[in-house]
Amino acid sequence: MTLSARDVSWGTSGRMIVGGVTLEAAPGKILGLIGPNGSGKSSLLRLLCRLRKVSSGVVELDGRDIGQVSRRELARRLAFVEQQATTEIQLCVCDVVRLGRTPHRSALASWSAADEQAVDAALARVGMSERHDQLWHTLSGGERQRVHIARALAQTPSELILDEPTNHLDIQHQLSILTLVRRLGVTCIVALHDLNLAALFCDEIALLHEGRLVASGTPETVLTEETIRRVFGVAVRIGATASGRRHIEYLVDPDCYGEAAP
């Protein structure tokens, strides 16, 4: 067991955003979090990494209430990659990645060879070593996302949480980022919009709708024609790729889309 949620709920302004969600990330596997816009994916991720406090239920790390884990200890164990972190400060790639070493250093500690080695190793793992001294603002969207993942890896986490890491990227960079994540070998929870990407890269999937977990399990058990139609309101045909993974073909169905559909 690594990271899990037990009957977790959270809301704001009298409105329930996440309601009674229970899920568990298997060690070394990728758990995909999917659902329509507004289903509570991003809010749940922030509850899992304690950026928000649960209203009820408990988030556990190796069976321990995450609320009882110190911020420093948690940051050494768990890393979070946001959708679109940005900065107006003129930073080099290495400066961004060095931020990941903060949990491992005391306030007065000098930068060490071990710290620099961790930064170099993180950049190498995401294929960005040659960009070490390049200015952040000169990077493409896909390169920036790789650097954010490198910053997270510099924390040397055993759990990695990513909030829609492929958002606004072209298909080449989407595939590149998710291939990279799959090769990392750490426990990952990743929110995704694209159902085919979720089917292709995730070991298990948790489907949220209106803040509640409506299905969880392998892509084969969660991504069914009936479930997708019911939750997303779209008609699909389910097939298989050459590797045996689920493939979703979206259909034009007047019953779903109305008379405006072609």
Side-chain angles (χ1 to χ4, degrees):
M1 181 189 298
T2 55
L3 187 63
S4 63
R6 307 294 180 194
D7 198 25
V8 163
S9 296
W10 177 80
T12 183
S13 301
R15 186 167 71 94
M16 185 273 292
I17 307 298
V18 176
V21 172
T22 294
L23 55 77
E24 183 176 308
K29 302 295 185 180
I30 298 179
L31 172 62
L33 197 61
I34 64 172
N37 287 338
S39 59
K41 299 186 299 296
S42 294
S43 295
L44 178 57
L45 292 184
R46 281 157 177 76
L47 294 170
L48 290 173
C49 58
R50 216 176 80 180
L51 290 179
R52 288 179 177 149
K53 186 177 180 181
V54 300
S55 301
S56 62
V58 62
V59 176
E60 295 179 335
L61 191 61
D62 286 342
R64 182 182 175 191
D65 185 343
I66 203 171
Q68 305 303 314
V69 180
S70 71
R71 289 287 184 183
R72 178 177 289 271
E73 182 182 352
L74 185 62
R76 288 176 175 176
R77 177 72 184 268
L78 187 153
F80 178 53
V81 179
E82 298 182 79
Q83 284 188 41
Q84 290 210 340
T86 186
T87 178
E88 298 301 321
I89 302 173
Q90 290 292 321
L91 294 174
C92 292
V93 165
C94 60
D95 296 324
V96 175
V97 181
R98 283 169 180 160
L99 294 173
R101 297 303 298 163
T102 302
H104 299 275
R105 305 174 65 246
S106 64
L108 300 178
S110 58
W111 188 255
S112 70
D115 290 322
E116 194 63 31
Q117 187 176 41
V119 169
D120 290 342
L123 283 170
R125 290 182 77 182
V126 302
M128 292 291 287
S129 295
E130 294 183 357
R131 300 286 197 271
H132 184 281
D133 297 315
Q134 189 167 329
L135 286 174
W136 167 258
H137 293 290
T138 66
L139 299 177
S140 69
E143 289 170 336
R144 290 186 183 188
Q145 198 66 286
R146 284 178 175 269
V147 172
H148 279 310
I149 294 173
R151 185 266 305 160
L153 293 179
Q155 291 177 229
T156 60
S158 52
E159 286 81 24
L160 181 61
I161 294 178
L162 304 103
D163 190 4
E164 296 183 15
T166 59
N167 202 21
H168 304 306
L169 299 182
D170 60 38
I171 187 60
Q172 179 186 13
H173 285 106
Q174 290 178 28
L175 294 171
S176 177
I177 290 295
L178 292 176
T179 298
L180 165 64
V181 169
R182 186 156 188 86
R183 290 174 176 170
L184 291 176
V186 299
T187 304
C188 290
I189 301 178
V190 53
L192 293 169
H193 264 306
D194 191 303
L195 302 186
N196 277 310
L197 289 178
L200 184 61
F201 288 97
C202 298
D203 299 293
E204 293 197 344
I205 290 176
L207 172 58
L208 292 181
H209 183 48
E210 297 180 346
R212 298 190 180 277
L213 184 68
V214 297
S216 64
T218 64
E220 291 74 23
T221 59
V222 174
L223 297 175
T224 66
E225 294 176 3
E226 190 280 330
T227 298
I228 292 172
R229 184 181 182 109
R230 174 167 52 88
V231 173
F232 292 92
V234 295
V236 300
R237 181 183 294 120
I238 303 292
T241 66
S243 63
R245 289 279 184 171
R246 219 71 163 158
H247 175 72
I248 300 162
E249 177 188 359
Y250 296 97
L251 306 176
V252 176
D253 185 343
D255 292 335
C256 282
Y257 311 124
E259 295 180 359

